């Protein structure tokens, strides 16, 4: 079902909550449709969420405010207000995110006067500094000896904002996930887009992440979501599956898929952020393709939600 610049895969339910993504240029829509859509749709149907994909530009390339396409996520709210007035709250996700469809509803507990983010630095299930060092060392050792062991990867929060001439904020979020309310935030987010011109400078070559962190956190109304709602695959791989960096394992799609599925068991949304080899791994596809794996995922989630008593059952030993 299409509507101007958007494809509506699932209409929003009574809550008006939707997941949304932008898939313009190249083969982003095809990749998302082939490798990620199934999990997104199953998740949305489980929680009665709408699902909308923006497959055309939301801003004119001829304007002074034209920037890297990532900035256009700030125009989603005004577009929805114009063409889908039934939408209340939006969880924007980058296309390179896989979803565990048995995960909890990301909108549970959301307050519509706040913007939802996930931290890149705080409340991670591993030490931030150490996971970065592992990632740098493994890329240097197995990918390219020119990959630096000391670089802007290790910028402090203060250094990050000062580099961009922005007031220092308490944290840094990965803007691959942004939750917002259309009525409360659409106009404000639109203004952020037009505040910065096409010559905006950033550590990500004109990308939006640090500037949007500044704008969002400056509002003073941020909900910090559980890391599991945007687990970062490069972190996960460096910490849990370092053997995947080895050249002999890089083409072993069955092994890579098994590790990604194992990470999805532990997390809700898994983001393949970045541009190095590990960030392309979601494109192998075929996740939870076997019916028994899909059933195992559902029964595992049901078990994790089940209360346990701690009552002893006697000694139980494996069968010979």
């Amino acid at each position: 079902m299409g509507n101007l610049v958007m494809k509506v895969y699932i209409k929003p339910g009574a809550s008006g909550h939707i997941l949304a993504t932008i898939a313009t240029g190249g083969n982003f829509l095809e990749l998302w449709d082939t490798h990620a859509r199934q999990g997104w749709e199953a998740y949305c149907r489980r929680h009665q969420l709408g699902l909308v994909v923006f497959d055309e530009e939301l801003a004119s390339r001829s304007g002074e405010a034209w920037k890297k396409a990532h900035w256009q996520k700030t125009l989603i709210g005004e577009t929805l207000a114009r063409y889908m007035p039934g939408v209340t709250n939006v969880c924007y996700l980058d296309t390179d995110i896989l979803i565990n469809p048995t995960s909890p509803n990301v909108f549970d507990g959301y307050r519509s006067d706040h913007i939802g983010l996930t931290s890149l630095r705080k409340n991670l299930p591993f030490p931030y500094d150490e996971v970065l060092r592992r990632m740098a060392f493994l890329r240097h050792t197995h990918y390219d000896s020119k990959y630096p062991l000391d670089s802007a990867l290790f910028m402090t929060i203060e250094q990050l904002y000062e580099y961009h001439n922005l007031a220092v904020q308490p944290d840094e979020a990965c803007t691959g996930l942004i939750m917002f309310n259309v009525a409360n935030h659409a106009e404000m987010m639109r203004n952020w887009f037009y505040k910065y011109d096409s010559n905006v400078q950033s550590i990500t070559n004109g990308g939006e992440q640090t500037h949007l962190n500044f704008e969002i956190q400056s509002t003073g109304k941020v909900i910090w979501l559980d890391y599991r709602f945007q687990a970062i695959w490069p972190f996960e791989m460096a910490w849990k599956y370092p053997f995947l960096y080895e050249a002999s394992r890089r083409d072993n799609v069955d092994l890579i898929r098994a590790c990604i599925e194992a990470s999805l068991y532990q997390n809700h949304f898994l983001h393949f952020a970045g541009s190095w080899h590990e960030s392309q791994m979601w494109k192998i596809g075929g996740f939870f393709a076997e019916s028994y794996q899909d059933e195992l995922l559902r029964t595992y989630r049901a078990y994790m939600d089940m209360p346990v008593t701690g009552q002893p059952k006697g000694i139980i030993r494996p069968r010979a």
Side-chain angles (χ1 to χ4, degrees):
M1 176 181 179
N3 189 350
L4 298 177
V5 298
M6 69 185 88
K7 293 182 182 294
V8 182
Y9 287 84
I10 301 176
K11 292 181 179 179
S15 69
H17 302 335
I18 70 166
L19 297 190
T21 193
I22 295 176
T24 58
N27 61 342
F28 291 114
L29 180 60
E30 180 184 355
L31 286 169
W32 176 84
D33 189 73
T34 303
H35 303 310
R37 175 181 171 183
Q38 183 178 3
W40 289 46
E41 285 190 333
Y43 179 81
C44 287
R45 295 191 190 285
R46 181 169 184 259
H47 296 296
Q48 291 81 54
L49 308 177
L51 177 57
V52 175
V53 177
F54 293 86
D55 61 338
E56 294 183 23
E57 306 287 359
L58 299 182
S60 170
R61 285 180 175 265
S62 61
E64 291 183 2
W66 172 261
K67 295 177 285 295
K68 224 171 181 179
H70 304 75
W71 283 87
Q72 294 192 31
K73 63 187 72 173
T74 60
L75 301 177
I76 288 175
E78 72 160 1
T79 307
L80 289 169
R82 186 181 307 144
Y83 298 118
M84 290 188 72
V87 174
T88 54
N89 298 317
V90 179
C91 181
Y92 165 84
L93 299 172
D94 281 356
T95 54
D96 56 350
I97 290 178
L98 299 179
I99 294 180
N100 173 342
T102 69
S103 301
N105 189 343
V106 69
F107 291 99
D108 286 349
Y110 173 65
R111 301 196 298 276
S112 62
D113 59 335
H114 285 59
I115 294 178
L117 299 172
T118 57
S119 176
L120 262 180
R121 296 176 180 248
K122 299 181 180 181
N123 301 315
L124 308 183
F126 28 66
Y128 175 70
D129 290 342
E130 188 173 346
V131 77
L132 290 186
R133 283 183 176 269
R134 287 194 188 192
M135 190 164 64
F137 178 80
L138 291 164
R139 285 175 174 175
H140 174 87
T141 303
H142 295 293
Y143 287 171
D144 189 341
S145 60
K146 294 180 181 178
Y147 190 91
L149 294 174
D150 184 11
S151 68
L153 181 69
F154 300 103
M155 272 185 168
T156 64
I157 289 178
E158 291 75 17
Q159 288 174 318
L160 177 71
Y161 289 103
E162 288 169 0
Y163 177 88
H164 293 85
N165 296 313
L166 299 169
V168 176
Q169 300 302 310
D171 204 344
E172 181 191 10
C174 177
T175 54
L177 180 153
I178 303 177
M179 288 182 64
F180 62 92
N181 175 268
V182 173
N184 291 332
H185 301 123
E187 183 178 359
M188 178 171 63
M189 294 175 74
R190 177 189 184 278
N191 290 340
W192 295 341
F193 181 87
Y194 289 102
K195 177 179 178 178
Y196 301 97
D197 63 29
S198 58
N199 296 319
V200 63
Q201 299 296 310
S202 76
I203 200 169
T204 52
N205 192 29
E208 86 300 349
Q209 180 152 299
T210 309
H211 292 82
L212 288 192
N213 265 275
F214 165 74
E215 297 292 352
I216 294 170
Q217 293 185 57
S218 292
T219 68
K221 292 188 174 182
V222 178
I223 291 178
W224 292 100
L225 304 178
D226 189 322
Y227 165 82
R228 290 176 293 175
F229 278 111
Q230 193 180 189
I232 305 298
W233 172 249
F235 289 0
E236 297 280 310
M237 183 168 136
W239 194 256
K240 301 173 184 175
Y241 316 109
F243 48 84
L244 293 182
Y245 286 88
E246 299 172 12
S248 61
R249 308 285 180 87
R250 234 175 285 156
D251 295 326
N252 189 333
V253 294
D254 291 334
L255 178 62
I256 292 170
R257 186 178 295 113
C259 292
I260 290 173
E261 289 179 348
S263 188
L264 279 167
Y265 267 97
Q266 303 163 54
N267 296 297
H268 307 327
F269 303 168
L270 186 60
H271 189 184
F272 291 74
S275 57
W276 281 78
H277 301 310
E278 61 268 37
S279 299
Q280 310 305 312
M281 289 179 173
W282 70 288
K283 297 175 184 177
I284 65 174
F287 304 105
F288 301 111
E290 301 295 332
S291 59
Y292 80 90
Q293 290 177 313
D294 187 53
E295 179 62 26
L296 191 64
L297 188 65
R298 288 197 298 272
T299 55
Y300 172 72
R301 176 53 52 192
Y303 169 69
M304 292 301 290
D305 293 339
M306 182 185 81
V308 292
T309 64
Q311 295 297 316
K313 304 294 183 182
I315 295 176
I316 301 173
R317 301 187 184 280
R319 296 177 181 177

